[in-house]
Amino acid sequence: MSDRHSEPKPTATYDEVMSANSDYATSFGDKGDLALPPARGFAILTCMDARLDPAKYAGLAEGDAHVIRNAGGRASDDAIRSLVISHKLLGTKEWFVIHHTDCGMLLFDGNTMAGLLEKSRATATFDGTKWANQKEEGGSPEGHHMAWLTFTDLAQSVRDDVERIRNHPLAPKDVPVWGFIYDCGTGKLLPVE
Amino acid sequence: MSDRHSEPKPTATYDEVMSANSDYATSFGDKGDLALPPARGFAILTCMDARLDPAKYAGLAEGDAHVIRNAGGRASDDAIRSLVISHKLLGTKEWFVIHHTDCGMLLFDGNTMAGLLEKSRATATFDGTKWANQKEEGGSPEGHHMAWLTFTDLAQSVRDDVERIRNHPLAPKDVPVWGFIYDCGTGKLLPVE
């Protein structure tokens, strides 16, 4: 296992990230003076999907709002931990839950994922209908013990998460929780009632 | 409880977000053609802090990389769920764990948070030394049952999370996991060894 714990060598991706960061720091301006609490007093919970840039799609500058992201933008226990810290300690007063079209969480279910992982940790492929492992190595049954939080109905997943947050015993009653679908085809936020 | 479950009325913040989104959608260009899997094949796990814009500080365009965010940028079970989906189903090959200076997670501990929430869900205040509730209403003991994932040593929190991810039974062995501190004062990414 020693190879697994040694420091990895920088890769092309690592160098690209460091180079982009150097450019960002060079033009950082007075952003070092921003305060810790979000200036505009709200939080967004959305998906980790690479196509989503919440700062761009919701018009956020650095310092404006908390952004919480996970696979699906789900109201997991950890997302609720983050939202409660956001309000209780850092004063946010409105929360946006934003899932999106063409989400990967619509393409599998927990049993499928656990079954794939049981055989292999390597990346699987999807043929448009089903997932298949390409090589079987290093599998683990641990996937059967994880809640993968997939869904089959996009709008309902938003409603479910808004309701879970509203009903959570640690969530304040007076914080509006807005539900949206982000349309990956148009960039538009579509309210979910 | 009916007031808690009715649809909230749009606020100034809601209108601002919708207006910014309308501008974004108008100049969306051909981003509707982006594929679901991250084009640059990596994922970032970082904090929800409002001052952090991972797309800007790491140089990401829409479609490039998964971004997972929670309070502290911690390797919670939910963050690991997201990372495993990121690699296993969507092919990311490198992961970046990025905490930051002046993090709110350094300013409290789980007992403090649970104690505050037991008395009140309303926003507390910090005088530089300790937290205090401003009004006591709607408290819940539920905070005692939540892992708040605070830390006292920033660099160690990065090392701990990198190690937790590397050692997780569902994490692939061949994915480098890089640890960083983002400096909120300068915008720079500082590697943690």
Side-chain angles (χ1 to χ4, degrees):
Chain A
M1 300 282 283
S2 67
D3 63 327
R4 192 172 174 185
H5 292 84
S6 60
E7 289 302 321
K9 298 245 186 317
T11 60
T13 295
Y14 182 102
D15 291 339
E16 287 164 14
V17 166
M18 293 308 278
S19 172
N21 178 251
S22 177
D23 291 346
Y24 179 67
T26 300
S27 58
F28 197 60
D30 58 3
K31 288 195 277 285
D33 300 331
L34 290 170
L36 198 167
R40 291 173 60 198
F42 66 97
I44 290 176
L45 166 60
T46 195
C47 186
M48 69 176 180
D49 190 285
R51 294 165 295 180
L52 275 54
D53 186 334
K56 287 190 182 165
Y57 77 54
L60 310 180
E62 290 93 329
D64 278 355
H66 285 143
V67 180
I68 301 155
R69 301 179 67 173
N70 63 37
R74 301 309 311 265
S76 60
D77 290 350
D78 196 53
I80 288 173
R81 172 182 72 87
S82 301
L83 287 169
V84 172
I85 290 170
S86 176
H87 170 78
K88 178 70 190 173
L89 303 184
L90 297 167
T92 59
K93 291 175 168 50
E94 300 184 47
W95 294 342
F96 293 73
V97 175
I98 307 177
H99 296 181
H100 66 96
T101 59
D102 196 35
C103 185
M105 303 300 282
L106 290 157
L107 300 181
F108 69 106
D109 62 23
N111 281 338
T112 301
M113 185 65 162
L116 290 166
L117 287 164
E118 198 169 342
K119 298 280 177 55
S120 171
R121 289 184 291 233
T123 300
T125 53
F126 187 62
D127 67 5
T129 308
K130 65 184 184 59
W131 292 91
N133 279 318
Q134 291 310 296
K135 53 177 181 178
E136 303 204 350
E137 65 175 38
S140 163
E142 191 69 18
H144 290 288
H145 299 269
M146 188 168 276
W148 293 97
L149 306 182
T150 60
F151 47 84
T152 55
D153 181 325
L154 177 56
Q156 191 58 42
S157 75
V158 175
R159 283 184 213 108
D160 290 347
D161 285 1
V162 166
E163 277 304 291
R164 183 174 192 222
I165 293 166
R166 285 186 182 155
N167 290 325
H168 195 278
L170 296 177
K173 278 190 186 185
D174 56 350
V175 164
V177 186
W178 315 103
F180 287 92
I181 291 169
Y182 173 84
D183 185 333
C184 282
T186 65
K188 286 189 183 158
L189 288 175
L190 314 170
V192 175
E193 306 273 302
Chain B
M1 299 285 281
S2 65
D3 62 327
R4 190 171 174 189
H5 292 83
S6 60
E7 289 303 321
K9 297 246 188 315
T11 61
T13 295
Y14 182 102
D15 290 341
E16 286 163 16
V17 167
M18 292 309 278
S19 172
N21 177 251
S22 177
D23 291 347
Y24 180 66
T26 300
S27 57
F28 197 61
D30 58 3
K31 288 196 277 288
D33 299 331
L34 290 169
L36 198 167
R40 291 174 59 198
F42 66 98
I44 290 176
L45 167 60
T46 195
C47 185
M48 70 176 180
D49 190 285
R51 295 165 294 180
L52 276 53
D53 186 334
K56 287 189 182 164
Y57 77 53
L60 310 179
E62 290 95 326
D64 278 356
H66 284 143
V67 181
I68 300 155
R69 301 180 67 174
N70 63 37
R74 301 309 312 266
S76 60
D77 291 351
D78 196 53
I80 288 173
R81 172 183 71 88
S82 301
L83 287 169
V84 172
I85 290 170
S86 175
H87 170 78
K88 179 69 191 174
L89 302 184
L90 296 167
T92 60
K93 292 176 168 49
E94 298 184 48
W95 294 341
F96 293 73
V97 175
I98 307 177
H99 297 182
H100 66 96
T101 59
D102 195 36
C103 186
M105 303 301 282
L106 290 157
L107 301 179
F108 69 105
D109 63 23
N111 281 339
T112 301
M113 185 63 163
L116 290 165
L117 286 164
E118 197 168 343
K119 297 280 176 54
S120 172
R121 287 184 292 232
T123 299
T125 54
F126 186 62
D127 68 4
T129 309
K130 65 183 184 60
W131 291 91
N133 279 318
Q134 292 310 295
K135 54 177 181 176
E136 301 203 352
E137 65 173 41
S140 163
E142 190 69 19
H144 291 287
H145 299 269
M146 189 167 276
W148 293 98
L149 306 182
T150 61
F151 47 85
T152 56
D153 180 325
L154 177 57
Q156 192 57 43
S157 76
V158 175
R159 283 183 213 108
D160 290 347
D161 285 3
V162 166
E163 276 305 291
R164 181 172 195 224
I165 293 166
R166 284 186 183 155
N167 290 325
H168 195 280
L170 296 177
K173 278 190 185 185
D174 56 350
V175 164
V177 186
W178 315 103
F180 286 92
I181 291 170
Y182 173 85
D183 185 333
C184 282
T186 65
K188 285 188 183 158
L189 288 175
L190 313 170
V192 175
E193 306 274 305

